[in-house]
Amino acid sequence: MPTPPPTGPLCTRESLTRELLALGVRPGETLLAHTSLSALGWVSGGAVALVQALLDALGPEGTLVVPAHSGDNSEPSVWQNPPVPEDWWPVLRASMPAYDPLTSPTYGVGIVPETVRTWPGALRSAHPQTSFAALGPAAATITAGHARDCRLGERSPLARLEKAGARVLLLGAGYGSCTSFHLAEYRIPGPEEENSFAAMTSRGRVWKTVRERSIDEEDFGELGAAFDKDTEVVRGFVGAAESRLFPVADAVAYAERWLAANRPAHPGPQDRP
């Protein structure tokens, strides 16, 4: 049976740059991009062409930021896709390579973040699971100081992006991918959890466990639909990809209110026995 022809539209670096600018991407701004390459259509040059187009649209004074998460560096007893035998858990904890910003690959976030992570001049934040990679003049400021006990809170690149007036680009990606909503989780009372990973310290590789705010994106689609309805979100298409642009600060502020009203209440530290 013959292979069906590819579906379009046919996108190039040049056409993507034009459409990103037409959507509203501004030269010189800082942009947190969540992308679905396959949603664009047929891209000549694939992820490399898309990254080139994003950098072209932002220009030399702009900064491109992507989630460069590596969630496979985590506690094996909670793995589900697939789960692993219990007698493997100690071996995995002892042998998992420590996070290295230069060599640890991204996991579960797609080919575009991995392309940015390995781009010449890219910088990457220090969290073993929820790092961000950045290209551009603001990259060092955005990626610095990512605390190991703060995946996506005040000591993460998300807070620096908010402070810098950055915007979010959802390029064929849904609101379930909007990491900015997680920053709002840290600002309202909620449960905490233990989080474990392999990390490098002054004593060498260690299996480290920290306690911090629990995070959950299960209701981000519903949150995003409400945000999309109630706020001024720039909407359009890049290639075949439905795309959106909005400030990080707007997303965080709206999510704080929405999550406080729509998630079950949890006691704050002052209310706990």
Side-chain angles (χ1 to χ4, degrees):
M1 190 173 176
T3 303
T7 56
L10 174 60
C11 303
T12 66
R13 171 181 178 175
E14 292 76 14
S15 72
L16 291 170
T17 302
R18 288 194 303 271
E19 292 174 14
L20 286 164
L21 290 169
L23 179 70
V25 173
R26 302 169 189 147
E29 74 172 316
T30 297
L31 194 67
L32 172 59
H34 300 279
T35 58
S36 170
L37 183 66
S38 62
L40 290 166
W42 182 270
V43 179
S44 176
V48 169
L50 176 55
V51 174
Q52 289 173 330
L54 286 162
L55 294 174
D56 289 345
L58 289 168
E61 300 305 315
T63 298
L64 174 63
V65 185
V66 295
H69 301 347
S70 46
D72 52 336
N73 182 357
S74 58
E75 171 52 50
S77 64
V78 300
W79 291 356
Q80 294 297 322
N81 294 306
V84 293
E86 186 172 353
D87 60 346
W88 291 15
W89 298 349
V91 178
L92 289 166
R93 293 184 190 113
S95 63
M96 191 175 296
Y99 172 72
D100 184 329
L102 295 177
T103 61
S104 296
T106 59
Y107 179 82
V109 289
I111 189 172
V112 175
E114 181 66 6
T115 303
V116 173
R117 179 190 75 80
T118 58
W119 204 268
L123 298 178
R124 190 180 187 189
S125 68
H127 198 281
Q129 296 170 335
T130 56
S131 67
F132 290 76
L135 287 162
T141 299
I142 297 299
T143 58
H146 195 170
R148 288 176 177 164
D149 61 349
C150 186
R151 283 171 289 193
L152 298 166
E154 304 298 339
R155 292 171 293 150
S156 81
L158 287 178
R160 291 174 174 79
L161 286 162
E162 179 190 40
K163 183 177 180 180
R167 291 195 296 169
V168 176
L169 170 65
L170 297 181
L171 188 64
Y175 280 103
S177 302
C178 183
T179 53
S180 299
F181 289 156
H182 285 298
L183 180 55
E185 287 185 299
Y186 281 76
R187 294 179 176 174
I188 62 174
E192 295 183 345
E193 64 184 0
E194 288 190 342
N195 186 33
S196 300
F197 41 75
M200 286 299 296
T201 71
S202 58
R203 306 186 307 278
R205 180 206 177 275
V206 298
W207 182 253
K208 189 172 182 63
T209 298
V210 298
R211 188 165 186 83
E212 64 159 311
R213 178 66 160 85
S214 177
I215 55 177
D216 180 11
E217 62 275 1
E218 186 174 344
D219 54 1
F220 280 9
E222 184 182 357
L223 163 56
F227 173 73
D228 204 75
K229 178 182 176 183
D230 294 342
T231 60
E232 293 185 9
V233 174
V234 175
R235 302 176 185 84
F237 283 84
V238 176
E242 186 174 4
S243 303
R244 288 171 167 80
L245 270 172
F246 49 87
V248 171
D250 287 2
V252 175
Y254 187 91
E256 282 188 68
R257 298 190 299 270
W258 191 93
L259 292 171
N262 289 276
R263 282 190 179 177
H266 292 274
Q270 69 276 9
D271 302 320
R272 295 188 187 117

